[in-house]
Amino acid sequence: MKKLTLLLSFFLVFSCAAEAQIFKKAKDLIGGGAVFSKEEAANALKEALEQGTSKGVDLLSKADGYYKNPEIKIPFPQEAEAVENKLRALGLGNQVDQAVESLNRAAEDAANEAKDIFIAAIKSLTITDAINIVKGDKDAATQFLERETTTSLEGKFNPIIEASLQKVNATKYWSDVMGTYNKVPFVKKVETDLTAYVTAKAIDGLFLMIAKEELNIRDNAGARTSELLKKVFGK
């Protein structure tokens, strides 16, 4: 919180350049006599975002990036929980597990496509955007990316996930599971748009990981890997 306040003070200095006393106070707060421009600060923020998003995407796009991460593992759809419970009770747990794994493999296949979309949004970041992010919550940058990229991510993810679901036999596993369940007497039939569900959950998981990386860079000096990040955010 202290570092965030210092950086905010810096931005306020440049928005009130005539206030010499404010400038002096901000320099004292920053410490070490370091002087940097508002462009440097905005570029540092862009660099931090690129670093965080790239790391987040890389983590998710590798094997088990979703499947073995309990925070973002894609489960059976909520409306299909009764399906899962019923089939497991019938001794069909292995079939259910195959279906769940295939959903997560599809998300892992799509995740890497997010990198270029994120980079384009980050490069478009203005000084005003940067100030708003610094003044905002600790996930303000993630919120910015979510607003700016979700529609593009959905468009990019959807066909990849659909193709991946076919590749890993998810559609077959899902059809088998649902077909088995829907044949059980007296149960309410469940229909789910599998591609739309996996796309939404994959994007949710992606932003969760990006938010964690943003917090890491804000709070952890060791996560600032360049001289510019150290200069602006503090060593």
Side-chain angles (χ1 to χ4, degrees), residues 94-111:
N94 184 60
Q95 196 174 20
V96 172
D97 291 339
Q98 286 180 320
V100 170
E101 180 178 352
S102 66
L103 304 186
N104 286 272
R105 297 296 180 229
E108 291 158 10
D109 280 347

Side-chain angles (χ1 to χ4, degrees), residues 14-216:
F14 280 94
S15 66
C16 308
E19 301 292 338
Q21 291 304 314
I22 298 177
F23 179 75
K24 182 179 183 303
K25 182 177 180 180
K27 285 177 65 178
D28 292 340
L29 284 171
I30 291 168
V35 178
F36 43 85
S37 70
K38 60 184 178 181
E39 285 79 13
E40 281 184 305
N43 286 336
L45 184 58
K46 291 180 181 182
E47 185 178 328
L49 287 174
E50 288 190 25
Q51 177 181 316
T53 55
S54 293
K55 184 176 179 181
V57 168
D58 289 343
L59 285 171
L60 296 189
S61 59
K62 67 182 182 181
D64 294 328
Y66 279 86
Y67 187 56
K68 290 193 176 177
N69 184 336
E71 288 186 286
I72 59 172
K73 180 180 179 179
I74 300 175
F76 248 52
Q78 188 173 3
E79 71 270 19
E81 286 182 358
V83 179
E84 179 177 6
N85 294 337
K86 184 68 173 180
L87 293 177
R88 289 192 186 280
L90 293 172
L92 298 172
N94 184 60
Q95 196 174 20
V96 172
D97 291 339
Q98 286 180 320
V100 170
E101 180 178 352
S102 66
L103 304 186
N104 286 272
R105 297 296 180 229
E108 291 158 10
D109 280 347
N112 196 53
E113 299 298 320
K115 195 173 290 187
D116 288 344
I117 294 173
F118 282 145
I119 296 302
I122 292 165
K123 289 186 182 301
S124 72
L125 197 85
T126 66
I127 297 295
T128 300
D129 292 328
I131 292 172
N132 289 336
I133 286 171
V134 172
K135 289 169 64 177
D137 298 331
K138 285 202 170 185
D139 65 343
T142 304
Q143 292 179 38
F144 168 82
L145 288 174
E146 193 165 1
R147 289 193 304 271
E148 295 295 316
T149 66
T150 294
T151 299
S152 296
L153 289 171
E154 287 171 346
K156 193 79 169 180
F157 274 34
N158 198 276
I160 295 170
I161 284 176
E162 185 171 9
S164 182
L165 290 172
Q166 296 287 344
K167 182 184 75 175
V168 299
N169 288 324
T171 303
K172 178 183 182 302
Y173 293 138
W174 187 257
S175 295
D176 289 347
V177 165
M178 288 303 171
T180 301
Y181 177 80
N182 287 335
K183 289 177 183 176
V184 175
F186 309 115
V187 301
K188 180 180 178 180
K189 288 182 170 50
V190 174
E191 302 293 340
T192 296
D193 183 335
L194 196 59
T195 300
Y197 169 72
V198 176
T199 297
K201 296 299 286 186
I203 292 173
D204 287 348
L206 181 60
F207 282 122
L208 178 63
M209 297 305 292
I210 296 302
K212 290 184 68 173
E213 289 304 319
E214 177 183 358
L215 184 62
N216 186 40

